[in-house]
Amino acid sequence: MQHIPSPEVERLLLEETLVASHEELAQQALTPEQRTCLAAEAKQSLKQGAAHQRQGNTVAALGDFQKALQVFQTLAQPRSAARVVLVMAHLCYTLADYLWAADYARQGLALAQQLADQTLQHQALSCLGNSYRHLGEMENAETCMAQSLRLAQVVCDREAEMRALGNLALIYRVQGKSDQAVDLYEQSLEIAEAHQDLVALEQILRNLGNAYHALGNSQKTIEYYDRLLRLSRDRMELTVVNKILRNLHSACYAIGDYTRAVVYLQERLQLVRQLQDDRGEVQTLENLSINYDILGDTAKALQAREERLKAAIRLQDLSLQRQALSSLKMACIAQGDFERVKRYINYLTESV
């Protein structure tokens, strides 16, 4: 399968890396011919590395970029070296090799600081902060990502600012600082909306829904999850939609909006049946019966309990069958449907 480099990595690769200043050339004792040969070698290594990366051969790509890095160090081209070492940091990050990613990011940061290049500093700090987060070094992660955010704002790179806001928000969430996280997500949402970045919008809306759900803010949970579903439900994985619908029901139930809760439950019921998720169907039908009871729709509540029992039978789970049958029996008695009660009592005697 062809591997497509991330936009940040591609941007680094496409930037000019072979032109040295007269000052850099003067610092070397190399002949012009030697410098030309080395430059050609670096260019070839970069091309091979990019090709290996597109093919998904990240280890080979790292070897090629390492060769190019050594050439740029020999030629005393710190800007080119910084760009290549940051590509290597991002590649290690994609391999989940966070120790090496952090090491390369630190090298890139040092070079970027020497060059006083705020854009490269931002990129290095972003990779370093994310690597620290995976390594569990949360204080270092927060410090690096906050600095990355500040630099993105300084250089007026709104897309980089949006990413930094999201990354810092994730660090806050891991630390249990959900209130601070949602504030940053809200800021990043404004940028995504301004740029009409659909992919970013989807991720941020999902992050906001998750964060507000964790905070127990049901109104905001409903607002952002519902907006996410309307925006991109057809493009989302069904398992993700299933979780969102489950959380939407919980949020509606929490604020007493049982009519809306039923709407989300009915959507979820269709979905779990499509997924052939019998346990999810049992759970959804149980919740439907509870909400129908509250709304006074006893006929639909009874129907939901019957369907729940059938799903429990398909699962061949005796415990669930007993629970479902007991709930259905009580509902039938409450409705005075004694014939129906007898039928289910016979089933219990014969099968359970």
Side-chain angles (χ1 to χ4, degrees):
M1 181 181 294
Q2 187 180 42
H3 178 77
I4 306 300
S6 70
E8 189 166 31
V9 171
E10 280 213 321
R11 184 167 61 254
L12 290 169
L13 286 170
L14 289 170
E15 289 178 351
E16 179 60 54
T17 60
L18 299 175
V19 178
S21 69
H22 292 296
E23 181 181 352
E24 290 171 338
L25 288 171
Q27 292 172 352
Q28 299 300 313
L30 298 171
T31 66
E33 291 78 9
Q34 289 173 319
R35 296 185 66 80
T36 299
C37 289
L38 286 171
E41 180 184 334
K43 185 175 182 179
Q44 182 62 27
S45 294
L46 288 175
K47 284 185 177 179
Q48 289 178 347
H52 281 134
Q53 187 189 357
R54 292 189 185 95
Q55 295 164 5
N57 192 344
T58 308
V59 174
L62 281 169
D64 293 324
F65 293 138
Q66 180 65 51
K67 292 177 183 176
L69 175 61
Q70 291 171 347
V71 172
F72 292 134
Q73 289 170 336
T74 300
L75 293 173
Q77 295 184 13
R79 190 174 303 279
S80 298
R83 289 168 175 163
V84 173
V85 82
L86 287 178
V87 170
M88 295 171 71
H90 285 287
L91 287 179
C92 287
Y93 186 85
T94 63
L95 289 173
D97 193 342
Y98 304 118
L99 281 171
W100 273 107
D103 185 67
Y104 283 127
R106 281 191 292 267
Q107 293 180 46
L109 178 60
L111 289 167
Q113 288 171 335
Q114 291 172 17
L115 293 163
D117 188 319
Q118 292 177 319
T119 298
L120 288 178
Q121 288 178 53
H122 152 72
Q123 293 167 359
L125 286 163
S126 177
C127 185
L128 188 55
N130 282 326
S131 299
Y132 278 139
R133 173 171 56 82
H134 284 286
L135 293 169
E137 299 183 32
M138 302 312 298
E139 289 186 11
N140 287 334
E142 182 179 339
T143 298
C144 289
M145 202 57 70
Q147 292 175 357
S148 175
L149 172 59
R150 182 182 61 81
L151 287 170
Q153 293 167 335
V154 167
V155 300
C156 299
D157 187 336
R158 293 287 279 169
E159 291 186 7
E161 181 182 354
M162 178 182 67
R163 291 192 297 271
L165 285 164
N167 287 331
L168 185 56
L170 180 55
I171 292 168
Y172 282 148
R173 284 196 65 196
V174 173
Q175 292 177 303
K177 303 175 182 177
S178 295
D179 287 321
Q180 292 169 269
V182 294
D183 180 60
L184 296 180
Y185 282 140
E186 295 274 10
Q187 293 178 51
S188 66
L189 180 63
E190 291 181 11
I191 300 174
E193 289 173 331
H195 285 263
Q196 297 183 331
D197 187 332
L198 183 59
V199 174
L201 269 173
E202 291 177 2
Q203 185 60 58
I204 295 167
L205 288 170
R206 184 176 174 185
N207 289 338
L208 277 165
N210 291 341
Y212 276 121
H213 185 66
L215 284 170
N217 188 327
S218 298
Q219 292 285 6
K220 287 290 187 180
T221 298
I222 295 167
E223 176 186 344
Y224 287 113
Y225 275 150
D226 188 72
R227 184 176 168 187
L228 172 61
L229 288 181
R230 285 186 284 108
L231 177 70
S232 57
R233 176 169 180 168
D234 293 340
R235 293 185 298 275
M236 295 170 64
E237 292 183 10
L238 295 182
T239 53
V240 174
V241 176
N242 183 26
K243 292 177 183 177
I244 291 172
L245 289 170
R246 182 185 63 196
N247 290 345
L248 276 167
H249 155 253
S250 298
C252 289
Y253 188 86
I255 62 174
D257 191 346
Y258 306 113
T259 300
R260 196 170 185 180
V262 165
V263 172
Y264 290 128
L265 284 170
Q266 288 172 334
E267 289 185 42
R268 189 184 179 212
L269 181 60
Q270 294 177 3
L271 182 57
V272 292
R273 284 172 172 168
Q274 183 179 347
L275 292 169
Q276 298 183 324
D277 178 1
D278 287 333
R279 290 196 179 276
E281 183 175 349
V282 168
Q283 180 192 57
T284 305
L285 287 164
E286 179 183 15
N287 289 328
L288 267 172
S289 66
I290 293 170
N291 281 273
Y292 280 135
D293 278 336
I294 296 172
L295 292 170
D297 195 334
T298 55
K300 288 184 178 178
L302 191 58
Q303 180 184 351
R305 287 185 169 90
E306 287 186 86
E307 292 179 10
R308 180 191 176 204
L309 176 57
K310 293 175 183 177
I313 292 170
R314 289 198 302 273
L315 273 172
Q316 299 182 339
D317 186 321
L318 293 179
S319 177
L320 275 179
Q321 288 179 39
R322 292 190 182 97
Q323 293 172 18
L325 188 53
S326 175
S327 176
L328 182 57
K329 283 169 58 181
M330 288 188 290
C332 287
I333 292 171
Q335 294 300 306
D337 191 345
F338 302 111
E339 287 300 318
R340 179 175 266 174
V341 170
K342 184 183 294 185
R343 184 164 67 249
Y344 286 114
I345 289 175
N346 290 338
Y347 174 82
L348 178 63
T349 303
E350 296 170 3
S351 305
V352 181

